[in-house]
């Protein structure tokens, strides 16, 4: 039982030939190798260590402060092989861990990178002085000293390390302030940071003084709360810390308190913010500066970077500006933008700090959102480059006319409810805010253009002229620019709005002087058919607005100025895939051509020789052997020949190897050894000479949905031979299906299908007809008819090969017979020779004893044995049967019948009789 | 050297494209599949007639929610919607049917051995079968798109192609974009076509070939949902199947489609190569 099972299993599985072993193990090694490669631990190329450094700074320069630092050193850096260094500062509310990934990238690029947690945050000591010159900036100077003492850091001069400063937001401002204060800094990359912290928190788009700016309360609150927590455990304020100010220094805290309480700044508070602003010290910056600013940034909009760029460039210092689709609202932006910013940063540092690589151009690059990514739903941007930084006024401007007269709008009491434009601190979530942006009824006025006749690529700060009237003479207004699509959907680009505080207003807008309002810079394509909508609102959740209710009148002048940015599109790095695709297609085309050429060459080399002696012999089978992949030998050795005019019977029990032989003969199966020649042509699968053979192998095969006639026509169409050669009528007559030929073959009986298959084999009257069990399923009259057809078929030079397990069929139909058993030939020759009368007969008589006595009296006649039914088997040895019968009758024995015995039957039964079972399907 | 074949026999003329095309055209499954391509837009159209314009979020948002909302805004959007709902599964099944059935059905009927005994050269038989299966798959896709376009335009009018990812596209260009979508879908379906065709060569059971191909596509789709696989997902044959959405934005985002095309062509070439390699060597025992 178990053995049978294992045997079956062994047969079910593919047999392991050496080739399969090789292929299998190669595949295994390949998979193992790939897996190993995929999971291998990456060698980062650097090491880092943490250290609490105590530096002395503060106004006196002697106040100790402990800074949490992490220092990355590239592998191989040493006193003998020095590397340039970088100071990498973190953003507000973060600590050195928040820039760890960026530090790793820079360290992997060959820089010694020092990151630290700014004072007032995380584990570093003291309080937040908001990038104060006397505190945070001095701390950074001490860190420069520390770097200068490192043996592996390259030095410009003793105590002057080769160093760049990189940072975002809070860290970006630090890099600007540090570069202004310390000439040892060789290059800086400030990102998404401010120019004037006062203007960032107290903006006035009409150009008013900072002290009168409109308080950006939502961002200020977010800013303050993240600083107050100081990076410690949320909600837990150490006992010694003032709960109102958290880790903010007293003067910073006081400034915030003042502004946040009243919604208005005072000069003292503005002075505190001024101290933290690079605006006043830009003229001292000599370090080449790469300014990266985000398009989605309601905290530090593009105008901040613009002011920094102009201030620094005025010194003759190299400045480069890049905008990307991210920022305090938009996060890191899409991968393509991150890659571009990383590449720009590295190129800048490599040249100005490491001294490698060509001088980067000072061209301006920016990106424009073109839609959503189809795969991961992220933003997709296209990047553009412009040789000269155009600022916020664009390369050119377009004027759009908006309509709408003087409109009254109400300021809600207490500034609530207020319109929603952005969600400060929500990060990348803000980008999904679009649908939530809302203006409140009665609180806003709308001025809208006609549909644009051509798309506008807006890039920069749009400007509008605003007239306003107020009963109090003052008004705080919020001006916004919407892109309105033809369906009416309005989009506020990145939630950016322009707050203005107007004073000295007349009671009515009709009498007011127009004021120029510069909206926040945006980058947006406004498509053809879209409208521009300017909205003037009285309140916004992001800003503090007056608490007193009032009704203003406003009017926007018709002319709206839109800056336009063009530039050359930067090929996306993904563009390389187009070349890959082109290469792939070319490779496939070449590969296909090579395969075709090789196939043709091989085809030409195929042995097409005709063995002259066999050119007229329909079929010669020599030494045929077929061994299946599982080791089963279906045919061990078969040789026979079919000549013209012969009807040869391939006789054998089921499973003798007849069908396998015919399969090889039809080119369906490759022989293991031996060869077959048809009319002298060596047979290979698909040999053209097969077209001279008609076949029925292993039963009929028809398209079940076609009628018999359609099947024959479909078959002939597949041969591609002329219709006239098919002889349909003759074939159909042989099939003898009558009207049934117009019925679908799936409705046919077995016999009908068999007859149709024979007709198909005879289409075109092939010179050699091969029929596998042709009488299978036929009734006796049809068998007799088939016999006559086959005999007639072989008359004019054609030949027929019939396989059968029925002795009588072969005997009656064939001129020649080949008897196979267990894959070998056991007898062959003319049927007459092997079948012909044998000298023995079986005689059934009523009295065997008397009969035997009578037989003894006949010369040359010998009793051999008793048959199973009691009859006598007698060797006549030339004595005519009539003499035998006469003798028996004369002796008074009643003769029931005399049956001639045949040699073939004897041979067949003797050879195959005892093992017709269990030989398997061959 | 005289021709070794019968009079009028030329290997290059056996089983012509036309002959195979007609063989397949007579089959019920071909007619049903193509008929369904006409029926589907009709069914969708009728379904939209039940739209009562009630609550707004009944379509559940989802990644394509907006396209569903826009489906009735014009013929182009109706076509887009029809393609979108078919692309995920139905077109894959139809293509798998045409390809998985190609060789396996002949094997199961027993007619394959008679074709090979004609003899139709094996590579030729496979090439013609493949060409016809591809033609029918293309026909099905075009039938679906054209029917949807005609029906949608008749019912909802000729208006610009809208989407929420970008501005609306004027009708003329919209047709081109839709053609691009159809083209990209066709390329994406090559993977299914390749796999089903390979299975069709490997097995004698037509249903096995069709079902196997569809199952593997579903598996790929499932794996693609598992973001933990990270960049490995880029290797999945269906990973870029939604890249045609890039055609809806202005300017067109072609990068993902290029990657998807590379992926599809690689897979299809691999599958077809193995199919040819196997079929030209195997013993046909059915």
């Amino acid at each position: 039982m178990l053995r049978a099972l294992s045997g079956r299993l062994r047969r079910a599985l593919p047999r392991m030939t050496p080739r399969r072993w090789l292929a299998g193990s190669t595949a295994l090694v390949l998979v193992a190798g790939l897996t190993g490669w995929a999971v291998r631990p990456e060698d980062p190329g650097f090491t880092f260590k943490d250290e609490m450094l105590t530096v002395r700074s503060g106004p006196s320069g002697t106040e100790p402060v402990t800074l949490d630092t992490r220092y990355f050193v590239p592998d191989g850096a040493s006193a003998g092989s020095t590397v340039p260094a970088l100071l990498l500062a973190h953003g507000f509310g973060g600590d050195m861990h928040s820039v760890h990934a960026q530090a790793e990238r820079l360290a992997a690029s060959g820089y010694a990178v020092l990151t630290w947690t700014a004072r007032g945050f995380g584990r570093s000591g003291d309080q937040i002085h908001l990038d104060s010159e006397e505190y945070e900036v001095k701390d950074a100077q001490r860190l420069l000293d520390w770097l200068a003492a490192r043996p592996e850091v390259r030095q410009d001069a003793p105590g002057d390390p080769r160093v760049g400063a990189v940072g975002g937001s809070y860290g970006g401002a630090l890099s600007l302030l540090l570069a202004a204060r310390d000439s040892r800094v060789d290059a800086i990359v400030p990102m998404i940071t401010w120019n004037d912290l006062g203007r960032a928190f107290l903006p006035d788009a009409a150009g008013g003084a900072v002290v009168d700016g409109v308080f950006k309360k939502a961002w200020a609150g977010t800013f303050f709360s993240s600083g107050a927590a100081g990076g410690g455990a949320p909600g837990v304020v150490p006992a010694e810390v003032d709960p109102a100010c958290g880790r903010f220094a007293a003067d910073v805290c006081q400034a915030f308190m003042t502004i946040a309480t009243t919604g208005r700044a005072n000069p003292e508070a503005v002075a505190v913010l001024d101290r933290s602003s690079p605006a006043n010290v830009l003229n001292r910056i000599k370090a080449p500066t790469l300014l990266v600013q985000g398009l989605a940034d309601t905290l530090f909009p593009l105008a901040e970077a613009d002011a920094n760029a102009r201030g620094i460039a005025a010194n003759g210092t190299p400045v480069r500006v890049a905008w990307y689709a991210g920022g305090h609202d938009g996060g890191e932006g899409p991968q393509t933008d991150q890659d571009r910013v990383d590449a720009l940063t590295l190129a800048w540092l490599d040249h100005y700090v490491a001294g490698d690589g060509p001088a980067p151009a000072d061209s301006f690059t920016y990106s424009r959102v073109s839609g959503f990514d189809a795969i991961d739903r992220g933003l997709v941007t296209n990047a553009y480059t412009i040789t000269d930084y155009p600022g916020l006024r664009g390369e050119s401007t377009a004027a759009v006319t908006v309509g709408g007269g003087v409109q009254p709008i109400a300021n809600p009491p207490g500034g609530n409810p207020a319109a929603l434009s952005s969600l400060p601190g929500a990060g990348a979530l803000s980008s999904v805010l679009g649908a939530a942006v809302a203006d409140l009824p009665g609180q806003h006025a709308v001025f809208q253009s006609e549909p644009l006749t051509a798309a506008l690529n807006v890039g920069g700060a749009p400007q509008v002229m605003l007239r306003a009237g107020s009963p109090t003479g003052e008004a705080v207004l919020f001006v916004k620019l919407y892109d309105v699509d033809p369906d009416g959907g309005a989009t506020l680009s990145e939630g950016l709005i322009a707050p203005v505080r107007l004073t000295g207003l007349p009671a009515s807008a009709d009498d007011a002087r127009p004021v120029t309002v510069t909206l926040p810079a945006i980058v947006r394509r406004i498509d053809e058919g879209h409208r521009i909508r300017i909205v003037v609102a009285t309140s916004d959740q992001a800003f503090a607005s007056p608490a007193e209710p009032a009704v203003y009148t406003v009017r926007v002048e018709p002319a709206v100025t839109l800056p336009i940015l063009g530039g050359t599109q930067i090929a996306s790095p993904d563009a390389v895939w187009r070349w890959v695709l082109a290469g792939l297609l070319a490779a496939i085309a070449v590969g296909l051509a090579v395969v075709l050429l090789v196939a043709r060459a091989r085809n030409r080399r195929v042995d097409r020789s005709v063995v002259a002696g066999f050119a007229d012999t329909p079929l010669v089978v020599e030494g045929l052997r077929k061994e299946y992949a599982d080791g089963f030998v279906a045919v061990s050795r078969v040789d026979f020949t079919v000549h013209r005019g012969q009807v040869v019977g391939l006789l054998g029990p089921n499973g003798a190897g007849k069908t396998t032989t015919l399969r090889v003969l039809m080119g369906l199966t490759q022989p293991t050894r031996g060869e077959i020649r048809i009319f002298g042509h060596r047979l290979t699968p698909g040999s053209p000479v097969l077209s001279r053979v008609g076949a029925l192998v292993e039963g009929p095969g028809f398209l079940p949905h076609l009628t018999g006639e359609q099947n024959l026509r479909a078959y002939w169409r597949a041969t591609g031979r002329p219709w006239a050669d098919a002889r349909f009528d003759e074939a159909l007559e042989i099939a003898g299906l009558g009207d049934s030929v117009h019925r679908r073959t799936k409705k046919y009986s077995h016999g009908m299908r068999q007859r149709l298959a024979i007709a198909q084999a005879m289409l075109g009257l092939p010179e050699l007809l091969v029929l596998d069990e042709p009488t299978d399923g036929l009734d006796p009259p049809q068998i007799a008819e088939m016999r006559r057809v086959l005999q007639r078929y072989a008359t004019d030079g054609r030949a027929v090969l019939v396989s059968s397990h029925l002795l009588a069929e072969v005997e009656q139909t064939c001129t020649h017979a080949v008897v196979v058993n267990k894959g070998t030939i056991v007898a062959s020759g003319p049927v007459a020779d092997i079948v012909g009368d044998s000298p023995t007969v079986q005689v059934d008589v009523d009295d065997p004893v008397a009969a035997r006595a009578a037989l003894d009296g006949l010369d040359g006649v010998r009793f051999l044995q008793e048959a199973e039914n009691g009859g006598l088997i007698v060797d006549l040895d030339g004595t005519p049967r009539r003499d035998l019968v006469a003798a028996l009758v004369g002796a008074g024995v009643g003769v029931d019948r005399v049956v001639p015995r045949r040699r073939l039957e004897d041979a067949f039964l003797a050879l195959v009789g005892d093992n017709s079972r269990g030989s398997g399907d061959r | 050297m005289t021709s070794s074949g019968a009079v009028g026999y030329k290997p290059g003329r056996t089983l012509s494209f036309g002959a195979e095309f007609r063989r397949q055209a007579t089959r019920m499954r071909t007619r049903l599949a193509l008929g369904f391509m006409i029926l589907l837009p009709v069914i969708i159209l009728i379904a939209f007639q039940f739209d009562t314009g009630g609550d707004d979020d009944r379509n559940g948002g989802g990644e394509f929610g907006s396209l569903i909302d826009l489906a009735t805004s014009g013929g182009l959007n109706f076509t887009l919607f029809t393609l979108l709902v078919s692309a995920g599964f139905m077109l894959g099944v139809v293509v798998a049917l045409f390809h998985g059935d190609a060789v396996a059905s002949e094997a199961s009927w027993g007619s394959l051995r008679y074709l090979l005994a004609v003899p139709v050269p094996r590579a030729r038989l496979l090439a013609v079968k493949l060409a016809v299966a591809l033609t029918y798959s293309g026909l099905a896709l075009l039938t679906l798109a054209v029917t949807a376009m005609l029906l949608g335009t008749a019912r909802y009018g000729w208006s610009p192609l809208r989407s929420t990812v970008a501005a609306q596209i004027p009708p003329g260009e919209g047709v081109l974009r839709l053609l691009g979508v159809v083209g990209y879908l066709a390329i994406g379906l090559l993977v299914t076509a390749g796999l089903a065709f390979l299975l069709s060569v490997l097995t004698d059971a037509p249903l096995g070939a069709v079902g196997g191909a569809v199952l593997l596509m579903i598996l790929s789709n499932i794996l693609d949902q598992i973001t933990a696989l990270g960049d490995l997902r880029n290797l999945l044959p269906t990973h870029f199947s939604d890249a045609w959405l890039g055609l809806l934005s202005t300017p067109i985002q072609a990068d993902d489609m290029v990657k998807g095309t590379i992926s599809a062509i690689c897979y299809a070439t691999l599958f077809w190569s193995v199919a040819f390699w196997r079929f030209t060597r195997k013993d046909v025992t059915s």
Side-chain angles (χ1 to χ4, degrees):
Chain A
M1 175 76 181
L2 207 64
R3 184 180 295 178
L5 196 69
S6 81
R8 200 174 302 161
L9 198 66
R10 190 147 13 95
R11 244 170 289 136
L13 291 172
R15 203 165 65 100
M16 292 314 287
T17 59
R19 215 170 111 195
R20 284 182 178 168
W21 272 115
L22 188 69
S25 33
T26 307
L28 207 66
V29 166
L30 213 65
V31 167
L34 278 174
T35 312
W37 177 79
V39 303
R40 81 200 186 285
E42 255 178 274
D43 175 20
F46 58 84
T47 53
F48 66 84
K49 73 176 199 315
D50 294 350
E51 193 176 345
M52 296 298 290
L53 288 179
T54 303
V55 298
R56 295 184 178 277
S57 70
S60 66
T62 56
E63 300 160 28
V65 62
T66 317
L67 297 177
D68 191 7
T69 67
R70 176 170 288 179
Y71 181 53
F72 297 76
V73 185
D75 292 344
S78 66
S81 166
T82 57
V83 291
L86 293 175
L87 280 182
L88 178 57
H90 63 82
F92 200 84
D95 59 23
M96 66 179 186
H97 300 288
S98 37
V99 291
H100 184 88
Q102 195 184 359
E104 284 186 328
R105 283 201 301 276
L106 292 168
S109 303
Y111 293 90
V113 182
L114 179 60
T115 66
W116 76 103
T117 302
R119 65 164 68 207
F121 293 97
R123 294 170 62 206
S124 292
D126 202 51
Q127 294 174 312
I128 302 164
H129 291 269
L130 220 53
D131 279 347
S132 160
E133 273 214 307
E134 299 298 344
Y135 294 96
E136 280 88 353
V137 179
K138 264 192 186 168
D139 294 347
Q141 284 184 290
R142 298 292 82 78
L143 293 176
L144 287 182
D145 297 343
W146 186 83
L147 278 175
R150 307 295 306 175
E152 70 277 4
V153 172
R154 196 179 301 165
Q155 310 265 329
D156 286 331
D160 180 1
R162 182 136 276 262
V163 65
V166 180
S169 194
Y170 191 60
L174 181 90
S175 68
L176 283 162
L177 293 160
L178 177 65
R181 187 181 172 94
D182 199 317
S183 61
R184 288 179 294 175
V185 177
D186 297 297
I188 54 173
V189 184
M191 303 179 193
I192 57 169
T193 193
W194 65 85
N195 168 254
D196 183 334
L197 196 55
R199 199 179 49 227
F201 279 111
L202 297 157
D204 184 350
V210 169
V211 72
D212 291 327
V214 183
F215 181 45
K216 204 183 270 180
K217 65 175 182 184
W219 264 121
T222 307
F223 212 56
F224 191 76
S225 65
S226 68
V236 180
V237 180
E240 72 273 16
V241 171
D242 173 5
C245 291
R247 297 184 71 178
F248 278 100
D251 53 347
V252 176
C253 183
Q254 184 56 46
F256 174 78
M257 294 289 176
T258 306
I259 304 174
T261 307
T262 61
R264 296 295 299 264
N266 61 20
E268 294 74 31
V270 171
V272 169
L273 296 177
D274 261 357
R275 227 173 42 203
S276 304
S277 298
N280 308 317
V281 294
L282 290 178
N283 57 351
R284 304 210 309 251
I285 295 179
K286 298 285 185 280
T289 306
L290 170 64
L291 288 157
V292 178
Q293 203 77 356
L295 298 172
D297 202 328
T298 53
L299 177 58
F300 303 129
L302 296 175
E304 297 296 318
D306 184 58
N308 281 334
R310 292 183 188 286
I312 299 169
N315 311 330
T317 306
V319 173
R320 189 172 198 188
V321 180
W323 296 346
Y324 77 104
H328 283 92
D329 293 299
E332 294 188 316
Q335 190 62 47
T336 47
D337 273 27
Q338 293 176 37
D339 291 345
R340 175 168 58 93
V341 168
D342 282 348
L344 288 173
T345 305
L346 215 53
W348 198 259
L349 296 175
D350 280 350
H351 180 74
Y352 290 112
V353 179
D356 296 335
D362 55 2
S363 62
F364 164 65
T365 62
Y366 74 101
S367 60
R368 186 164 59 223
V369 174
S370 62
F372 292 101
D373 187 283
I375 306 290
D376 61 15
R377 311 265 121 202
L379 286 176
V380 170
T381 56
N382 291 319
Y384 301 84
T385 178
I386 295 174
T387 312
D388 295 314
Y389 173 59
L392 303 182
R393 298 291 179 82
E395 291 184 300
S396 59
T397 57
V400 174
T401 307
V402 294
V406 172
Q407 298 168 40
I409 49 174
N411 183 39
N416 191 38
L420 179 64
S421 59
S422 59
L423 275 183
L429 264 181
S430 309
S431 62
V432 299
L433 184 67
V437 168
D439 287 311
L440 299 173
Q443 295 183 21
H444 72 281
V446 172
F447 306 88
Q448 191 158 293
S449 74
E450 291 301 306
L452 300 183
T453 50
L456 292 176
N457 287 320
V458 178
Q463 286 187 326
V464 300
M465 302 288 278
L466 176 68
R467 290 171 194 261
S470 165
T472 62
E474 285 194 21
V476 170
L477 297 169
F478 302 93
V479 186
K480 324 174 191 187
L481 186 149
Y482 284 93
D483 172 359
V484 183
D485 67 36
D487 293 336
T491 311
L492 178 64
S493 207
E494 313 296 358
L496 288 160
I497 68 173
V500 290
R501 185 186 301 278
L502 301 173
T503 51
L505 297 177
S508 164
D510 295 317
D511 310 325
R513 216 165 26 84
V515 179
T516 302
V517 176
T518 305
L519 280 80
I522 55 170
V523 171
R524 181 178 189 85
R525 177 186 167 92
I526 301 179
D527 283 294
E528 182 190 339
H530 287 215
R531 299 164 190 261
I532 304 286
R533 178 188 292 169
I534 304 294
V535 166
V536 181
T538 54
S539 63
D540 194 279
Q541 292 183 17
F543 291 87
S545 49
E548 300 80 29
V551 175
Y552 311 129
T553 50
V554 293
R555 180 177 172 205
V556 168
E557 296 290 298
V560 172
T561 310
L562 297 176
I564 303 297
L565 268 192
T568 320
Q569 187 167 350
I570 302 170
S572 150
D574 279 342
V576 72
W577 290 107
R578 297 174 192 207
W579 293 105
V580 172
L581 176 60
L584 179 69
L585 290 175
I588 289 174
V590 169
L592 201 61
V594 167
V595 167
L596 287 178
L597 285 177
V598 166
R600 180 172 292 187
R602 196 181 285 173
N603 206 16
R604 223 173 269 148
R605 269 189 284 120
V606 165
D607 176 18
R608 291 183 190 286
S609 63
V610 179
V611 176
F614 293 141
D616 208 34
T617 311
L619 179 64
V620 178
V621 178
E622 283 177 347
L624 188 70
R625 179 183 176 85
K626 175 63 188 178
E627 202 176 314
Y628 282 105
D630 58 2
F632 178 67
V633 181
V635 175
S636 52
R637 185 178 175 90
V638 167
D639 307 75
F640 64 91
T641 305
V642 177
H643 292 281
R644 285 192 190 274
Q646 290 182 345
V647 180
V648 177
L650 192 58
L651 183 64
N654 287 330
K658 304 188 299 286
T659 297
T660 300
T661 307
L662 296 190
R663 266 190 209 150
V664 176
L665 177 53
M666 297 323 296
L668 302 175
T669 304
Q670 294 264 25
T672 312
R673 229 188 355 257
E675 64 173 31
I676 293 178
R677 288 189 175 271
I678 298 177
F679 296 105
H681 297 274
R682 208 170 82 82
L683 182 89
T684 51
S687 295
V689 75
L690 276 172
S691 60
R692 295 165 75 176
V693 182
L696 161 65
V697 182
E698 282 185 286
F702 292 114
L703 280 59
H705 55 279
L706 294 186
T707 66
E709 189 192 2
Q710 285 170 338
N711 256 302
L712 293 191
R713 291 190 183 277
Y715 171 80
W716 193 256
R717 196 175 292 121
T719 68
R721 292 165 62 184
W723 284 104
D725 293 356
R727 316 275 193 105
F728 279 108
D729 296 340
E730 290 170 64
L732 286 175
E733 197 187 322
I734 288 163
L737 289 169
D739 280 344
S740 293
V741 82
H742 299 301
R743 288 170 60 207
R744 292 182 177 194
T745 51
K746 70 173 146 200
K747 305 228 166 90
Y748 278 20
S749 70
H750 187 54
M752 288 163 80
R753 256 184 237 152
Q754 188 77 7
R755 270 140 60 203
L756 189 64
I758 293 168
Q760 176 178 292
M762 287 184 181
L763 277 183
L765 300 181
E767 292 163 84
L768 174 61
L769 191 60
V770 177
L771 303 176
D772 187 11
E773 309 277 4
T775 56
D776 186 25
L778 303 191
D779 54 25
Q782 287 166 342
I783 293 176
E785 170 63 19
M786 191 54 57
R787 198 181 301 148
R788 278 193 293 280
V789 166
L790 293 184
Q791 282 162 349
R792 204 164 55 232
Y793 194 85
T795 48
D796 39 351
R798 291 192 286 259
V800 181
L801 176 64
V802 181
S803 89
S804 178
H805 63 283
L806 298 174
L807 177 65
E809 182 177 303
V810 169
E811 204 182 313
Q812 291 170 28
T813 314
C814 302
T815 59
H816 292 70
V818 177
V819 185
V820 289
N821 186 38
K822 288 184 172 177
T824 49
I825 290 183
V826 291
S828 70
V831 170
D833 285 6
I834 32 180
V835 174
D837 285 354
S838 85
T840 59
V841 290
Q842 180 179 332
V843 189
D844 291 356
V845 292
D846 56 356
D847 183 356
V849 181
R852 283 180 67 166
L855 289 178
D856 287 340
L858 275 170
D859 280 344
V861 175
R862 195 159 51 89
F863 167 75
L864 290 179
Q865 65 184 86
E866 208 162 290
E868 281 167 26
N869 62 355
L872 307 174
I873 294 179
V874 180
D875 187 349
L876 290 177
D877 194 21
T879 311
R881 273 170 256 176
R882 59 178 176 274
D883 292 353
L884 173 72
V885 175
L888 287 172
V889 172
V893 178
V895 178
D896 288 335
R897 58 176 187 157
V898 178
V899 186
R901 286 178 55 89
R902 291 162 300 184
R903 280 186 196 146
L904 187 55
E905 190 167 19
D906 292 344
F908 188 59
L909 290 178
L911 287 164
V912 307
D914 57 341
N915 55 26
S916 58
R917 278 188 307 147
S919 54
D921 179 16
R922 300 190 183 204
Chain B
M1 194 182 82
T2 55
S3 165
S4 54
V7 179
Y9 170 82
K10 286 203 182 87
R13 282 171 57 182
T14 54
L15 193 65
S16 61
F17 182 86
E20 170 64 13
F21 192 85
R22 290 170 71 163
R23 276 170 85 91
Q24 299 300 329
T26 54
R27 298 187 56 188
M28 192 53 86
R29 71 118 167 92
T30 309
R31 294 172 180 179
L32 278 180
L34 289 178
F36 190 67
M37 293 293 128
I38 294 174
L39 195 62
L40 182 71
V42 178
I43 294 173
I44 294 176
L45 194 77
I46 293 170
F48 274 128
Q49 297 308 304
F50 288 97
D51 186 356
T52 52
D55 46 337
D56 283 330
D57 58 351
R58 66 193 178 287
N59 288 323
E63 52 182 0
F64 297 124
S66 55
L67 287 179
I68 298 174
D69 294 337
L70 290 171
T72 54
S73 69
L76 293 177
N77 269 92
F78 182 75
T79 313
L80 185 67
F81 175 78
T82 308
L83 287 173
L84 148 82
V85 292
S86 324
F89 185 71
M90 204 197 68
L91 285 175
V93 172
V94 169
V95 168
L97 183 68
F98 283 131
H99 286 83
D101 210 35
V103 180
S105 65
E106 298 276 2
S108 72
W109 295 329
S111 48
L112 180 61
R113 56 177 178 270
Y114 292 104
L115 287 177
L116 292 179
V118 160
V120 182
R122 290 191 180 191
R124 178 176 174 81
L125 183 123
L126 216 53
V128 170
K129 286 265 176 203
L130 180 57
V132 169
L134 283 173
T135 305
Y136 273 112
S137 303
L139 263 181
L141 189 55
L142 279 180
T143 308
L144 181 71
V146 170
T147 314
M149 178 87 81
L150 292 178
L151 271 177
T153 306
R155 174 67 184 83
Y156 300 115
W158 185 246
S159 46
L161 184 61
R162 289 161 213 263
S163 70
T164 49
V165 294
Q168 61 181 26
I169 300 158
E173 203 194 330
V175 173
L176 289 181
R177 299 281 181 100
L178 275 183
L179 275 180
V181 171
V182 170
Y184 183 73
L185 285 180
I187 290 171
L189 288 167
L190 288 183
V191 182
T192 317
L195 183 57
F197 196 69
L198 172 59
L199 291 177
S200 186
V201 165
L202 296 182
T203 173
D204 294 347
L207 270 184
V210 177
V214 171
L215 271 183
L216 280 171
M217 287 301 124
I218 292 174
L219 177 68
S220 168
N221 267 322
I222 291 172
L223 288 179
D224 203 26
Q225 306 290 320
I226 302 171
T227 44
L229 288 173
D231 285 347
L232 280 179
R233 291 189 303 155
N234 287 334
L235 299 177
L236 291 173
T238 57
H239 182 65
F240 296 99
S241 55
D242 290 339
W244 55 270
L245 282 171
L247 282 166
L248 301 183
S249 68
T250 306
I252 293 169
Q253 301 158 19
D255 291 331
D256 280 330
M257 284 193 290
V258 170
K259 288 185 209 165
T261 306
I262 292 174
S263 164
I265 288 181
C266 283
Y267 274 107
T269 308
L270 176 72
F271 291 141
W272 283 331
S273 303
V274 175
F276 272 83
W277 185 84
R278 181 79 191 114
F279 189 68
T280 47
R281 278 161 185 76
K282 81 174 218 171
D283 286 346
V284 175
T285 53
S286 58

